[in-house]
Amino acid sequence: MIEFSNNVARLEPSATLAITARAKAMQAEGLSVINLSAGEPSFPTPEPAATAATAAVAAGKTGYPPTPGLPELRSAVARYSAETTAAANAESSNILVGAGVKQVLFNVSYCLFGPGDEVLVPAPYWPTYLATVHLTRATPVVVPLDWSDGFRLTAATLDAHRTDRTKGLLLNSPSNPSGAVMGRPDLEEILAWAGEHDVWVLSDEIYRRLYYGKGSATSVLDIMDRPSRVVALDGMSKTFSMPGWRIGWGVGPPELMAKASALQSQTTSGAAGPSQYASAALLDSPERESIIENFRSALERRRSESLKVLQQISNIEVYDQPGAIYHYLRLRNGQTSVDAAESLLTQAGVATIPGEAFGTPGYLRITFAGADELLTEGIRRIAEYFG
Ligand code: PLP
């Protein structure tokens, strides 16, 4: 047996990717499995992005891009942030581009947190947050939230988990898996609390534009008097349905972004060039907002249609949450969620993710971002299973 280093002592493969891989393997064996586990929008890559990528490759623009990102992409991200939040003064030096939010989150976390530090992670959480904090060898401190108030996070709840070692807080609104979206007053209070206690806030806003309520989901960049220790993370994977292109970015203080870029220069050398050309062209495209709105409204329809059916199923409860691409189902049939997910997969032929993966046993996450006919059939199987 290989003796692995302490760096990876707590490392597990991504549970969500593992279930998705298992569902795909079952499909390859010829079994009928509807995959509602992957958080992947079903839309094709928008045309301006695909055209720009092929043009860049045809023009031979395939050398190493600058480590923190192509200048045109960093300035496109700055413009996009300024146009869609109150971050009017974001500059390229505030922006680090990486191979997805995952990479930027890791780089920034690795630069800020280390042994002895504590990082607050509200639950239910995206599993990568825990893994990332473990990789920095800091300690994640899970902050359990309640179903009864829609998994609302407040400064008071955070303060109950704060110690003099608290160095960071991972926020995710709209949330994967719950779909919950933080209201502006709560976010303002949390940022003020973080400023008061010198806590770094890493705000993963990858679902910010996939919001089905009135107005728009609040970004940390919308809070004008936010403290300086704040990083907003976003990318191409969800809003633009481009997860395979692997482009994400952080908007934060230049000194931190430069350090995270130095880390990137010694690890991946940054994100793939053609993907960066594709992303810059799409962010700057006059069609950008109509493309987002087409995706968003298709998802909104899938969300409300599937919600109606799910609300009729007697052994589960479902919240009408306004963001992201998931329904988080609460089980009422006495089964553990691991068992329910296993029998749903093997008996009913539908792949879901059990709540254990998100730090909240007793729930199942399904995505409504897949194609209509698969979603309808998947939910029909879930309804049949729960009776
Ligand atoms: N953040 C959250 C909350 C996610 O759910 C996901 C993907 O599922 C990501 C980040 C991944 O982002 P990226 O594809 O940009 O690495």
Side-chain angles (χ1 to χ4, degrees):
M1 223 172 80
I2 300 175
E3 214 174 285
F4 290 108
S5 78
N6 273 340
N7 299 338
V8 292
R10 308 286 302 268
L11 184 63
E12 302 275 350
S14 155
T16 51
L17 294 183
I19 291 170
T20 304
R22 193 165 154 215
K24 285 187 179 159
M26 289 170 74
Q27 286 166 339
E29 280 172 34
L31 297 168
S32 165
V33 174
I34 308 283
N35 186 5
L36 300 184
S37 69
E40 203 170 347
S42 65
F43 312 111
T45 292
E47 191 276 328
T51 305
T54 41
V57 174
K61 295 177 173 176
T62 50
Y64 283 117
T67 304
L70 290 173
E72 51 268 60
L73 178 52
R74 292 170 86 199
S75 52
V77 168
R79 276 190 293 279
Y80 175 66
S81 301
E83 285 164 19
T84 62
T85 70
N89 55 358
E91 292 182 8
S92 292
S93 58
N94 294 108
I95 289 151
L96 173 67
V97 172
V101 163
K102 234 180 210 177
Q103 189 191 9
V104 181
L105 172 71
F106 175 82
N107 291 352
V108 167
S109 301
Y110 204 76
C111 291
L112 292 175
F113 311 134
D117 295 332
E118 292 177 353
V119 180
L120 300 174
V121 183
Y125 47 72
W126 183 46
T128 295
Y129 300 143
L130 233 53
T132 302
V133 176
H134 280 139
L135 285 170
T136 70
R137 298 177 68 180
T139 305
V141 174
V142 173
V143 179
L145 303 181
D146 271 350
W147 161 269
S148 59
D149 61 2
F151 299 118
R152 179 175 172 209
L153 178 67
T154 63
T157 313
L158 289 169
D159 203 51
H161 291 80
R162 184 177 62 82
T163 70
D164 54 11
R165 301 197 309 169
T166 306
K167 181 89 187 280
L169 162 66
L170 299 184
L171 288 184
N172 178 215
S173 170
S175 152
N176 172 7
S178 76
V181 177
M182 295 184 65
R184 190 183 180 111
D186 284 348
L187 193 54
E188 277 172 348
E189 253 188 53
I190 287 169
L191 291 186
W193 167 88
E196 193 182 325
H197 299 291
D198 289 339
V199 172
W200 276 95
V201 177
L202 310 187
S203 179
D204 179 350
E205 303 181 355
I206 196 160
Y207 298 103
R208 179 170 64 88
R209 306 299 308 278
L210 303 180
Y211 176 66
Y212 317 103
K214 286 206 187 82
S216 48
T218 310
S219 163
V220 287
L221 302 178
D222 288 321
I223 314 282
M224 294 314 286
D225 57 353
R226 65 184 177 277
S228 57
R229 296 178 187 209
V230 171
V231 180
L233 300 154
D234 200 349
M236 304 303 288
S237 293
K238 314 289 178 178
T239 306
F240 298 99
S241 194
M242 292 172 58
W245 295 78
R246 309 305 307 124
I247 295 292
W249 56 81
V251 183
E255 190 185 350
L256 171 62
M257 302 333 260
K259 189 56 117 183
S261 174
L263 175 58
Q264 186 154 283
S265 78
Q266 300 289 15
T267 52
T268 59
S269 296
S275 297
Q276 296 198 46
Y277 287 108
S279 305
L282 183 49
L283 289 178
D284 275 342
S285 162
E287 294 166 56
R288 181 192 74 207
E289 289 301 307
S290 65
I291 289 168
I292 297 175
E293 181 48 25
N294 285 343
F295 287 172
R296 197 205 61 82
S297 58
L299 290 169
E300 180 169 40
R301 184 182 48 73
R302 287 178 193 171
R303 175 187 164 281
S304 61
E305 287 172 6
S306 52
L307 186 67
K308 268 188 226 133
V309 183
L310 290 164
Q311 282 169 334
Q312 306 300 314
I313 304 175
S314 50
N315 278 321
I316 57 175
E317 281 177 277
V318 57
Y319 235 104
D320 185 352
Q321 293 279 22
I325 53 175
Y326 310 99
H327 293 302
Y328 206 40
L329 315 177
R330 189 185 200 206
L331 299 184
R332 293 199 310 196
N333 68 346
Q335 247 186 326
T336 69
S337 34
V338 165
D339 288 348
E342 183 64 24
S343 27
L344 273 168
L345 182 60
T346 53
Q347 293 165 28
V350 50
T352 61
I353 313 259
E356 281 80 353
F358 309 102
T360 45
Y363 296 83
L364 291 174
R365 189 196 79 177
I366 64 170
T367 179
F368 55 78
D372 284 297
E373 54 293 355
L374 294 179
L375 181 60
T376 308
E377 173 58 14
I379 290 186
R380 193 195 62 74
R381 292 182 188 190
I382 291 175
E384 199 172 78
Y385 175 84
F386 284 106

